Structures are given as structure tokens and as C-alpha cells.
Amino acid sequence: MKKILVVGGAGYIGSHMVKMLTNDGFNVVTLDNLSTGFRDAVVGGEFVEGDIADSALLDRLLPEHKFDAVMHFAAHIQVGESVENPHKYYVNNVASTLNLLGAMVRHGLNNFIFSSSAAIFGEPEYVPADENHPKAPINPYGLSKWMVEQILTDFDHAYALRSVCLRYFNAAGADPEGELGWRYGGVSNLIPLVMKAASGSRADITVFGRDYDTPDGTGVRDYIHIVDLCQAHLLALKYLWDDHPSAVFNLGNGQGFSVQEVVDMARDVTGREIVVREGSRRAGDPASLVADSTLAREVLGWEPRYADLRTIIEHAWQWESRAAK
Ligand code: WQD
């Protein structure tokens, strides 16, 4: 049975990944420092509380388990915070990741799956954005992800550490079985906020700008269901184990939805009134960001199952209505 180390397995995306891996019969060890994750979100496998900055811990854990692959979800993800406190982002997202990669090299582990982000593209020059779109991150969060992608290229050349970087567009939705979802209190993403406004756990949401060059003037994003995202990781594992070269893939549905469309769909799905306030543009927000995921479909055979916005919001609502009780 293949053994996977899931770093950050107690967080939003990592916890869904751990569930999928254990359901598929993999042997899983989660390593998480619980800075933003939750112990009880880890619903399968073994749990180790700790930090990837802790070399002594990694030097015990890696030789003990001899993992067949490492998946890394343990990043700070708030763009605004990264602008205010870049040190926090470079230390965790870059230096600690480098520490993890160093330990992998020391212990001869050479399959790595990295959670990258569409934030590496910055203000898009064209959409849909393919893998070759110029990389021009406009905040420390995006730059930290792009730095790691480049480090991985060098580690492949020098140490034969092979990796797949998966560049997520807007991860959304929740476990269709209702067992898992987002829990982090400081959430600033649109769909969780809209769900909270629908459940009454917050009063309203603010639309950040109606003067964008988009059909209805509000920002357009490519929302991808968390289960589809995790499915791509399973395919990426197989890709590495089949001895293919390191690769990068953009992951989105290739279809953009505006903030207004998200709010309208959420009103329809929830049957609740959602109070909307008008705000100004949020610094650093592009008008439109949509993925070209042709490569993931062709090379990995990835086929999103929950591509429609209604399903994404239905699953998000199922989770929120449970959490709000
Ligand atoms: C979506 C749309 C907002 C909140 C960010 C990161 C990205 C990734 C995902 C982590 C935009 C609008 C939002 C609100 C709004 N991060 N909005 N009112 O900014 O596309 O992506 O999160 O891995 O790297 O950049 O996602 O959900 O914050 O915003 O009008 O209260 O909703 O302007 O158009 P974003 P988001």
C-alpha cells in the first residue's frame, strides 16, 4: 500500500485530500502545526502535530515511514496579510518549504506535489490563462508560490526530486457528504462569506467594485470544486509514479462567474435573502481570472465532476448550514 505524507492535512483543502486518499486505500500520515487547521478535520490515517520548519521532526518522520510521495498544503494563503506581513509568508511558504524539500533530499524521497496558485500570474495579460502565461505576481503570497515553483525546477535538475505543481484558481465548495468544509475564522474568500451572509452568521457581504471591464462590472473568477481539485492530485500522484517528468498544471473549470452571479446563485440555492453592500475595488484584484486547464485534461486525464457553479454552492451551503447550527 502506497504511503503519503500530507503536510497541512488539517486545513481546508488538505482535509478533503486526506479523506479522498484514505477512502482510496492509501496509507496517510498528516503533519500539521494546527496554526489554522483542526485536528478533528483529519478524518483518516495517522496524525502528527508539528511544523515543517522542525528539521529534527522531519529527520525522524521521513525515514520512519519511507513515504511514496509528499503533498504540501501547509501555506499561509491570505493575499492582504501577505502584503502587510511579507516576513510571515516568506518564512512559512518559502523557507519552511525549503526545509521540507531539504529533508526529502536527505532521506531519498523524490515525489512531491505542490499547491501552487493562479496568484503567480498577477494581473493576467490574457484569459483563459494557460501554463505558459507570464508569471508576474503582484503580492508576496503569489511570489512565495512562484519562488517555490522555481526552487522545484532546480531541485529536479540537481537532486532528481520530481514534482507536480498544481496551480489552483478559486478553490470552493465542500465535501459532498457534508463531513468537511472551510472552518478557518479569518476567511476572506467570496463563497464562504456569501454563505455566512445567507446563514445569518454575518450580516452582509460587500461587492468589491462594479466598475470592472466585465459583463456586469463585477469581478470574474474560475471556481473549482474542492473534490475536483483533490481528484487532480490523485492523478498527479499516478503521473509521478508512472515515471513522467516534473510538470505544472493550471486547475480551473475554464468558465468564469462574476461576483453578482455567485450572489444570485447563492440566493437561488439557499432561498435566503443575502444583503449586499457596495464597496470599492480591493487592491490587487484583477477584473477576470479564468484557467485554461487543457493540459491537465490531456496529460492527467482530469475531468472535473462538479464543474457547475450550482453544485459548488449547494455543497458549500450544506456545509455552512450545518456549521451555523
Ligand atoms: C473572488 C471575487 C473579489 C470577497 C484569492 C487569492 C488566490 C487564492 C484564492 C489562496 C473577487 C470578490 C471577494 C468579498 C467580493 N488564495 N469579492 N467581496 O481574490 O480571486 O483569490 O483567493 O490560495 O490566490 O488571490 O478570491 O474569493 O477573495 O474573491 O466582492 O467580500 O470576489 O473582488 O472578484 P480571489 P476571493
Side-chain angles (χ1 to χ4, degrees):
M1 197 197 286
K2 299 267 196 196
K3 206 171 209 186
I4 320 284
L5 176 64
V6 180
V7 180
Y12 171 47
I13 302 176
S15 61
H16 288 79
M17 191 72 239
V18 169
K19 179 173 177 176
M20 186 179 283
L21 286 167
T22 46
N23 282 348
D24 278 27
F26 291 97
N27 209 329
V28 179
V29 176
T30 292
L31 173 64
D32 198 300
N33 65 8
L34 299 182
S35 62
T36 54
F38 296 86
R39 171 65 186 89
D40 62 357
V42 183
V43 295
E46 194 181 314
F47 179 77
V48 178
E49 184 173 346
D51 200 297
I52 50 171
D54 183 347
S55 298
L57 170 65
L58 295 175
D59 283 337
R60 281 197 307 276
L61 202 63
L62 301 195
E64 182 190 333
H65 292 280
K66 300 189 175 57
F67 296 104
D68 296 288
V70 176
M71 291 183 169
H72 180 19
F73 299 93
H76 296 314
I77 61 161
Q78 304 236 34
V79 170
E81 184 188 52
S82 83
V83 175
E84 278 152 32
N85 191 359
H87 179 261
K88 175 175 174 178
Y89 278 70
Y90 292 124
V91 166
N92 185 59
N93 294 8
V94 181
S96 296
T97 299
L98 199 49
N99 201 51
L100 171 64
L101 294 173
M104 287 182 65
V105 171
R106 277 199 300 286
H107 298 289
L109 305 190
N110 48 19
N111 293 311
F112 188 68
I113 299 193
F114 178 62
S115 301
S116 188
S117 169
I120 67 169
F121 299 124
E123 182 72 43
E125 287 179 15
Y126 58 87
V127 286
D130 58 13
E131 284 74 9
N132 294 323
H133 182 287
K135 318 306 178 289
I138 51 173
N139 50 63
Y141 167 72
L143 189 49
S144 74
K145 293 288 177 180
W146 177 228
M147 285 176 175
V148 172
E149 284 205 16
Q150 293 172 96
I151 288 169
L152 287 170
T153 304
D154 291 343
F155 271 49
D156 186 343
H157 293 154
Y159 313 120
L161 190 150
R162 282 173 324 120
S163 61
V164 172
C165 295
L166 298 173
R167 297 167 176 163
Y168 312 156
F169 281 63
N170 289 63
D175 175 23
E177 291 170 359
E179 191 181 13
L180 299 168
W182 62 85
R183 287 169 65 176
Y184 179 51
V187 70
S188 61
N189 295 109
L190 180 66
I191 292 183
L193 291 177
V194 169
M195 294 294 98
K196 288 180 188 307
S199 71
S201 69
R202 58 182 288 137
D204 51 43
I205 66 129
T206 301
V207 173
F208 296 148
R210 285 196 185 269
D211 56 350
Y212 284 107
D213 185 16
T214 58
D216 65 19
T218 65
V220 168
R221 294 292 182 276
D222 187 336
Y223 296 94
I224 167 173
H225 196 291
I226 184 121
V227 168
D228 288 332
L229 208 71
C230 291
Q231 198 65 45
H233 290 69
L234 283 187
L235 295 166
L237 277 179
K238 186 173 179 319
Y239 171 91
L240 284 177
W241 290 333
D242 283 347
D243 251 356
H244 292 297
S246 293
V248 300
F249 298 102
N250 289 357
L251 294 181
N253 287 310
Q255 202 189 345
F257 290 95
S258 72
V259 175
Q260 188 59 53
E261 286 173 313
V262 168
V263 171
D264 290 343
M265 181 65 83
R267 285 179 171 144
D268 198 47
V269 166
T270 65
R272 304 285 180 94
E273 185 196 354
I274 296 168
V275 180
V276 167
R277 298 194 184 282
E278 303 304 327
S280 46
R281 291 184 180 194
R282 185 170 65 179
D285 271 357
S288 180
L289 192 53
V290 178
D292 179 342
S293 294
T294 311
L295 196 67
R297 289 169 185 269
E298 287 181 359
V299 175
L300 298 178
W302 181 60
E303 202 55 64
R305 241 178 97 188
Y306 301 110
D308 64 305
L309 183 65
R310 177 175 292 276
T311 311
I312 291 174
I313 292 183
E314 278 170 358
H315 292 165
W317 179 236
Q318 173 175 267
W319 170 253
E320 180 63 33
S321 15
R322 190 178 274 209
K325 269 183 199 145

